[in-house]
Amino acid sequence: MKAVICEKFGKIEDLIWGELPDPVVESGKILIGVKACGVNFPDGLMVQGKYQTKPAFPFSAGSEAAGVVLALGEGVKGVNLGDRVFVGTGYGSFAEKVLAEAHRVIQIPTELNFREVAGITTTFGTAY
């Protein structure tokens, strides 16, 4: 899948547009096709190695995403394939797909679009 990738800690300008493996659906998790993502101060800190979360390289930053449910892990209830959702992920949202814990996923009201909700997950306390 396409993603904005951090291969080593450094300047934000060092991020690259490239390929990462598709996330594998796990029990209790939801695979989301990302339509929009929030960009926040902690994302910039993370790629510089200045944030408390330091994912293994290579990784995609981005702690908030809005999109469509592509797959459901075992035991996931209350969401269906194709549902419009948003989620706080911690990191990984600057990609075409992101894997999220089911309990963090919130359905998007029909009157809102993906861009309108992509950056609000921390407001709802779901990002961390």
Side-chain angles (χ1 to χ4, degrees), residues 41-114:
F41 186 68
D43 301 324
L45 292 176
M46 187 178 296
V47 300
Q48 295 174 71
K50 297 178 180 179
Y51 196 64
Q52 60 261 30
T53 302
K54 293 180 175 62
F57 299 114
F59 72 91
S60 179
S63 59
E64 303 169 321
V68 177
V69 175
L70 299 177
L72 302 170
E74 184 180 333
V76 173
K77 296 184 183 352
V79 234
N80 298 300
L81 296 179
D83 281 357
R84 296 161 20 95
V85 297
F86 68 101
V87 64
T89 59
Y91 62 91
S93 294
F94 294 169
E96 290 180 308
K97 300 172 187 172
V98 67
L99 193 60
E101 297 177 33
H103 71 276
R104 295 187 179 276
V105 174
I106 299 172
Q107 292 187 344
I108 298 173
T110 54
E111 62 272 11
L112 298 176
N113 67 48
F114 294 117

Side-chain angles (χ1 to χ4, degrees), residues 9-50:
F9 294 131
K11 299 178 193 171
I12 295 169
E13 296 86 354
D14 294 338
L15 298 175
I16 62 165
W17 179 246
E19 294 278 339
L20 286 176
D22 280 356
V24 177
V25 180
E26 303 169 6
S27 179
K29 296 193 177 181
I30 297 174
L31 182 63
I32 299 168
V34 176
K35 301 291 185 185
C37 56
V39 179
N40 300 287
F41 186 68
D43 301 324
L45 292 176
M46 187 178 296
V47 300
Q48 295 174 71
K50 297 178 180 179

